Amino acid sequence: MNNDVLADILLHLPVQSLLKFRAVCKFCVDVIDSSRFRKLHIHNNRSDETVCLEVILSNDGIQVQHNTKSLISYNFKNLGLISDVRVSLYGLVKGLIILDLAKWNHLDRKPRAPIVICNPFLGQLKLLPLITTSSCIIPLRSVAIGFIDEDYKVVQLSICKMHYCLHAHVYSRSADSWRELAFDNDIGYVTRVKSMCENGHFAHWISESMSSGEVAILSLDMKNEVFKKIMLPVDGLYYYLHSRIFEKDEHLFWRFDFPYTWQDKSSVHIYESRCEGSKLSWMYMLRVELPYTSSTGIIPRWRTGFFVIERERDAYVYDYRAHKFVSKLSNRSLTEYRGSFVSLEKEN
C-alpha cells in the first residue's frame, strides 16, 4: 500500500487504535509520533469512538482506569495528603480531563490540594499550581477546561465565605500560570454544568445571585474570556437538589429531573431548551425509567451516544439515542472519554 494512503487512513483512526498501530511497523511509529501528524489528528479527527474511564480513589491516591487497566496513577503522599480527599471529575475536552482533589486545611480553610489535569491515553499527568488568596476563606471551588487555538485553558471559580463573593481565575498552557478574570461578584454559589461538547469553547455553571436569589446559567466564552448570564425559571434549590443539567452544544441544554424521595422513585423527567438571548425556558421531552437495581460492578460495553450522570454515590449510564438508562453502578466514579494527542506541556 502507498505510504501516503496509509498515512491518510491512520489520520481517521481514534487515538486508542493508533497507539496499538505503533506496534505494527516502523513506518507507523514514525508517522504517528510525528508532530505534524498529531496536530492534523487533533484538528481533523472526527471519530466518535467512546470508552469508559473509571476513577479509583483510595487512601494512598488515585488511579484512572480503562477496562481495569491503570492508565494514570498518583500517590497522595507526594502531596502530604493521606486521607479524607474527595475527587471531582471533569472533562472531557480534546482528550483532557480534570481531577479536582478537594482537600482543605481545617484551620484556615485554604485549598491545599491541586487541580490535576491529565491525558489518560498518553499517560500524561500535570499538577497545576495552587492559587494564593491570602485574605480569603475558600471552602469550595469549581473548575472547567477548554481547548482554544491549540492551547488548553483551565478556569477555577472560588467561593469566598469571608467576602461573600466568587473569584474567577484562568490557567493556560502557553502562560503556565493563573491570572484573575473580571467577574460579577453578586454571585454567591455555583455548581458545574456537565458538557458533552468536545470543542470546549464554552463552560457553564448553575449560579445564584446573592442579592436577588435569581438562578441562572453562568456561561463563559473561554476564547474571549467573557461571562454572561442566562436566566432560568424555577428556584435554585430545585436545581441543586433534584436536577442535572447538561450542555449538548453552546445553545442546547438538557435537564434531567430525578424524583423527590416521596415521589415515584423509578423514573426521570427530561426537558430540553435551545437558548436564545439571555433567557431560557424548558420544553418537556419524555419520561425515562431508572434502572431498578445496580449492576454488579460490570461497566456496560461503550458506544457512541452514551454519557454518565452522577447523582449522590451512583453513576447512571444514559443512551441519549435510544432514550433510556442502560446501567446503574453504585459507588463508582465514571466518565465517557474520547482520546486525543493534545499534550499537557507547551510544545517547542
Side-chain angles (χ1 to χ4, degrees), residues 91-136:
L92 64 109
V93 172
K94 290 292 185 180
L96 304 180
I97 61 175
I98 291 179
L99 302 171
D100 183 12
L101 309 182
K103 173 73 175 182
W104 287 272
N105 185 311
H106 294 291
L107 296 177
D108 60 10
R109 303 289 286 177
K110 297 289 194 302
R112 60 186 181 96
I115 293 170
V116 178
I117 183 171
C118 63
N119 186 326
F121 279 176
L122 298 187
Q124 295 181 350
L125 181 147
K126 182 176 182 177
L127 278 66
L128 302 188
L130 287 173
I131 297 172
T132 56
T133 50
S134 58
S135 63
C136 296

Coordinates of all heavy atoms in Angstrom, one line a residue, residues 91-136:
G91 N -14.4 16.9 32.5 CA -14.0 16.6 31.2 C -15.2 16.3 30.3 O -16.3 16.5 30.8
L92 N -15.0 15.8 29.2 CA -13.7 15.8 28.5 C -13.6 16.8 27.4 O -14.6 17.2 26.8 CB -13.5 14.4 27.9 CG -14.5 14.0 26.7 CD1 -13.7 14.0 25.4 CD2 -15.2 12.7 27.0
V93 N -12.5 17.4 27.2 CA -12.3 18.3 26.1 C -11.0 17.9 25.4 O -9.9 17.9 26.0 CB -12.2 19.7 26.6 CG1 -11.8 20.7 25.5 CG2 -13.5 20.2 27.2
K94 N -11.1 17.5 24.2 CA -9.9 17.1 23.3 C -9.0 16.1 24.1 O -7.8 16.2 24.1 CB -9.1 18.4 23.0 CG -9.8 19.3 22.0 CD -9.9 18.7 20.6 CE -10.4 19.6 19.6 NZ -10.6 19.0 18.2
G95 N -9.7 15.1 24.7 CA -8.9 14.1 25.4 C -8.3 14.4 26.7 O -7.6 13.6 27.3
L96 N -8.7 15.6 27.2 CA -8.1 16.1 28.5 C -9.3 16.0 29.6 O -10.4 16.4 29.3 CB -7.6 17.5 28.5 CG -6.5 17.8 27.4 CD1 -6.1 19.2 27.5 CD2 -5.3 16.8 27.6
I97 N -8.9 15.6 30.8 CA -9.9 15.6 31.9 C -9.2 16.2 33.1 O -8.0 16.2 33.2 CB -10.4 14.2 32.2 CG1 -9.3 13.2 32.6 CG2 -11.2 13.6 31.1 CD1 -9.8 11.9 33.1
I98 N -10.0 16.7 34.0 CA -9.5 17.3 35.2 C -10.0 16.5 36.4 O -11.1 16.1 36.5 CB -10.1 18.7 35.4 CG1 -9.5 19.7 34.3 CG2 -9.8 19.3 36.8 CD1 -10.0 21.1 34.4
L99 N -9.1 16.3 37.4 CA -9.4 15.7 38.7 C -9.1 16.8 39.7 O -8.0 17.3 39.9 CB -8.4 14.5 38.9 CG -8.5 13.4 37.9 CD1 -7.3 12.4 38.2 CD2 -9.8 12.7 37.9
D100 N -10.2 17.2 40.3 CA -10.2 18.2 41.4 C -10.1 17.5 42.7 O -11.0 16.9 43.2 CB -11.4 19.1 41.3 CG -11.3 20.3 42.3 OD1 -10.2 20.5 42.9 OD2 -12.4 20.9 42.6
L101 N -8.9 17.6 43.3 CA -8.7 16.9 44.6 C -9.1 17.9 45.7 O -8.4 18.8 46.1 CB -7.2 16.5 44.8 CG -6.6 15.8 43.6 CD1 -5.1 15.4 43.9 CD2 -7.4 14.5 43.3
A102 N -10.3 17.7 46.3 CA -10.8 18.6 47.3 C -10.3 18.2 48.7 O -10.7 17.2 49.3 CB -12.3 18.5 47.3
K103 N -9.3 19.0 49.1 CA -8.8 18.8 50.5 C -8.4 20.2 51.0 O -7.6 20.9 50.4 CB -7.6 17.9 50.4 CG -6.8 17.7 51.7 CD -7.6 16.9 52.7 CE -6.7 16.6 54.0 NZ -7.4 15.8 54.9
W104 N -8.9 20.5 52.2 CA -8.7 21.8 52.8 C -8.0 21.7 54.2 O -8.3 20.7 54.9 CB -9.9 22.7 52.9 CG -10.4 23.1 51.5 CD1 -10.0 24.3 50.9 CD2 -11.3 22.5 50.7 NE1 -10.7 24.3 49.6 CE2 -11.5 23.2 49.5 CE3 -12.0 21.3 50.8 CZ2 -12.3 22.9 48.5 CZ3 -12.8 20.9 49.7 CH2 -13.0 21.7 48.6
N105 N -7.3 22.7 54.5 CA -6.8 22.8 55.9 C -7.9 23.3 56.7 O -8.5 24.3 56.5 CB -5.6 23.9 55.9 CG -5.0 24.0 57.2 OD1 -5.7 24.1 58.3 ND2 -3.7 24.0 57.2
H106 N -8.3 22.5 57.8 CA -9.5 22.8 58.6 C -9.3 24.1 59.5 O -10.2 24.6 60.0 CB -9.8 21.6 59.4 CG -10.3 20.5 58.6 ND1 -11.5 20.4 57.9 CD2 -9.7 19.3 58.3 CE1 -11.6 19.3 57.3 NE2 -10.5 18.6 57.5
L107 N -8.0 24.6 59.6 CA -7.8 25.7 60.4 C -8.0 27.0 59.6 O -8.7 27.9 60.1 CB -6.4 25.7 60.9 CG -6.1 24.5 61.9 CD1 -4.6 24.6 62.3 CD2 -7.0 24.6 63.1
D108 N -7.4 27.1 58.4 CA -7.6 28.4 57.7 C -8.5 28.2 56.4 O -8.7 29.2 55.7 CB -6.2 28.9 57.3 CG -5.4 28.0 56.4 OD1 -6.0 27.0 55.9 OD2 -4.3 28.3 56.1
R109 N -9.0 27.0 56.1 CA -9.9 26.7 55.1 C -9.3 27.2 53.7 O -10.0 27.7 52.9 CB -11.2 27.5 55.3 CG -11.9 27.1 56.6 CD -12.5 25.7 56.6 NE -13.7 25.6 55.8 CZ -14.3 24.5 55.5 NH1 -13.9 23.4 56.0 NH2 -15.4 24.5 54.8
K110 N -8.1 26.9 53.5 CA -7.5 27.2 52.2 C -7.3 25.9 51.4 O -6.9 24.9 52.0 CB -6.1 27.8 52.4 CG -6.1 29.2 53.1 CD -6.7 30.2 52.1 CE -6.4 31.6 52.7 NZ -6.9 31.9 54.0
P111 N -7.6 25.9 50.1 CA -7.3 24.7 49.3 C -5.8 24.4 49.4 O -5.0 25.2 49.2 CB -7.7 25.1 47.9 CG -8.6 26.3 48.1 CD -8.1 27.0 49.3
R112 N -5.5 23.1 49.7 CA -4.1 22.7 49.7 C -3.8 21.5 48.9 O -2.8 20.9 48.9 CB -3.6 22.5 51.1 CG -4.2 21.5 51.9 CD -3.7 21.5 53.4 NE -4.3 20.5 54.2 CZ -3.7 19.4 54.5 NH1 -2.6 19.0 53.9 NH2 -4.3 18.5 55.3
A113 N -4.9 21.1 48.1 CA -4.7 20.0 47.1 C -4.8 20.6 45.7 O -5.7 21.5 45.5 CB -5.7 18.9 47.3
P114 N -4.0 20.2 44.8 CA -4.0 20.8 43.5 C -5.1 20.3 42.6 O -5.8 19.3 42.8 CB -2.7 20.4 42.9 CG -2.4 19.1 43.5 CD -3.0 19.1 44.9
I115 N -5.3 21.1 41.5 CA -6.1 20.6 40.4 C -5.2 19.8 39.5 O -4.1 20.2 39.2 CB -6.7 21.8 39.6 CG1 -7.8 22.5 40.4 CG2 -7.3 21.3 38.3 CD1 -8.2 23.8 39.8
V116 N -5.6 18.6 39.1 CA -4.8 17.7 38.3 C -5.4 17.6 36.9 O -6.6 17.4 36.8 CB -4.7 16.3 38.9 CG1 -3.9 15.4 38.0 CG2 -4.1 16.4 40.3
I117 N -4.6 17.9 35.9 CA -5.1 17.7 34.5 C -4.3 16.5 33.9 O -3.1 16.3 34.2 CB -4.8 19.0 33.7 CG1 -5.4 18.9 32.3 CG2 -3.4 19.4 33.7 CD1 -5.4 20.2 31.5
C118 N -5.0 15.7 33.1 CA -4.3 14.5 32.6 C -4.9 14.2 31.2 O -6.0 14.5 30.8 CB -4.4 13.3 33.5 SG -6.1 12.7 33.8
N119 N -4.0 13.5 30.4 CA -4.4 12.9 29.2 C -4.2 11.4 29.4 O -3.0 10.9 29.2 CB -3.6 13.4 28.0 CG -4.0 12.8 26.7 OD1 -4.5 11.7 26.6 ND2 -4.0 13.7 25.6
P120 N -5.2 10.6 29.7 CA -5.0 9.2 30.2 C -4.4 8.3 29.1 O -3.5 7.5 29.4 CB -6.4 8.8 30.5 CG -7.1 10.0 30.9 CD -6.6 11.0 29.9
F121 N -4.8 8.5 27.8 CA -4.3 7.6 26.8 C -2.8 7.8 26.5 O -2.1 6.9 26.1 CB -5.1 7.8 25.5 CG -6.4 7.0 25.5 CD1 -7.2 7.1 24.4 CD2 -6.7 6.1 26.5 CE1 -8.4 6.4 24.4 CE2 -7.9 5.4 26.5 CZ -8.7 5.5 25.4
L122 N -2.3 9.1 26.7 CA -0.9 9.4 26.6 C -0.1 9.2 27.8 O 1.1 9.3 27.9 CB -0.7 10.8 26.1 CG -1.3 11.2 24.7 CD1 -0.9 12.6 24.3 CD2 -0.9 10.2 23.6
G123 N -0.8 8.9 28.9 CA -0.2 8.6 30.2 C 0.4 9.9 30.8 O 1.4 9.8 31.6
Q124 N -0.2 11.1 30.5 CA 0.4 12.3 31.0 C -0.5 12.9 32.1 O -1.7 12.8 32.0 CB 0.4 13.4 29.8 CG 1.4 13.0 28.7 CD 1.4 14.1 27.6 OE1 0.6 15.0 27.6 NE2 2.4 13.9 26.7
L125 N 0.2 13.4 33.1 CA -0.5 14.0 34.3 C 0.3 15.2 34.7 O 1.5 15.2 34.8 CB -0.6 13.0 35.4 CG -1.3 13.4 36.7 CD1 -1.9 12.1 37.3 CD2 -0.2 13.9 37.7
K126 N -0.5 16.3 35.0 CA 0.2 17.6 35.4 C -0.6 18.2 36.6 O -1.8 18.2 36.6 CB 0.2 18.5 34.3 CG 0.9 19.8 34.6 CD 1.0 20.7 33.3 CE 1.7 22.0 33.6 NZ 1.9 22.8 32.4
L127 N 0.1 18.6 37.6 CA -0.5 19.3 38.8 C -0.3 20.8 38.6 O 0.7 21.3 38.3 CB 0.3 18.9 40.1 CG -0.1 17.6 40.7 CD1 0.3 16.4 39.9 CD2 0.5 17.5 42.1
L128 N -1.5 21.5 38.6 CA -1.5 22.9 38.4 C -1.1 23.6 39.7 O -1.5 23.1 40.8 CB -2.8 23.4 37.9 CG -3.3 22.8 36.6 CD1 -4.6 23.5 36.1 CD2 -2.2 22.9 35.5
P129 N -0.5 24.8 39.7 CA -0.1 25.4 40.9 C -1.4 25.9 41.7 O -2.4 26.2 41.0 CB 0.7 26.6 40.5 CG 0.4 26.8 39.0 CD 0.0 25.5 38.5
L130 N -1.3 26.0 43.0 CA -2.4 26.5 43.8 C -2.5 28.0 43.6 O -1.5 28.7 43.5 CB -2.2 26.1 45.3 CG -2.4 24.7 45.7 CD1 -2.0 24.5 47.1 CD2 -3.8 24.3 45.5
I131 N -3.7 28.5 43.7 CA -4.0 29.9 43.6 C -3.9 30.5 45.1 O -4.5 30.0 46.0 CB -5.4 30.3 43.0 CG1 -5.4 29.8 41.6 CG2 -5.7 31.7 43.1 CD1 -6.8 29.9 41.0
T132 N -3.1 31.5 45.2 CA -2.9 32.1 46.6 C -3.9 33.3 46.7 O -3.8 34.2 46.0 CB -1.5 32.6 46.8 OG1 -1.1 33.5 45.7 CG2 -0.5 31.4 46.7
T133 N -4.8 33.2 47.7 CA -5.7 34.2 48.1 C -5.6 34.4 49.6 O -6.4 33.9 50.3 CB -7.1 33.9 47.6 OG1 -7.4 32.6 48.2 CG2 -7.3 33.9 46.1
S134 N -4.6 35.2 50.0 CA -4.3 35.3 51.4 C -5.4 35.8 52.3 O -5.5 35.4 53.5 CB -3.0 36.1 51.6 OG -3.3 37.4 51.1
S135 N -6.2 36.7 51.8 CA -7.3 37.3 52.7 C -8.6 36.6 52.6 O -9.6 37.1 53.1 CB -7.4 38.8 52.3 OG -7.9 38.9 51.0
C136 N -8.7 35.5 51.8 CA -10.0 34.9 51.6 C -10.1 33.5 52.3 O -9.1 32.8 52.5 CB -10.2 34.7 50.1 SG -10.3 36.2 49.1

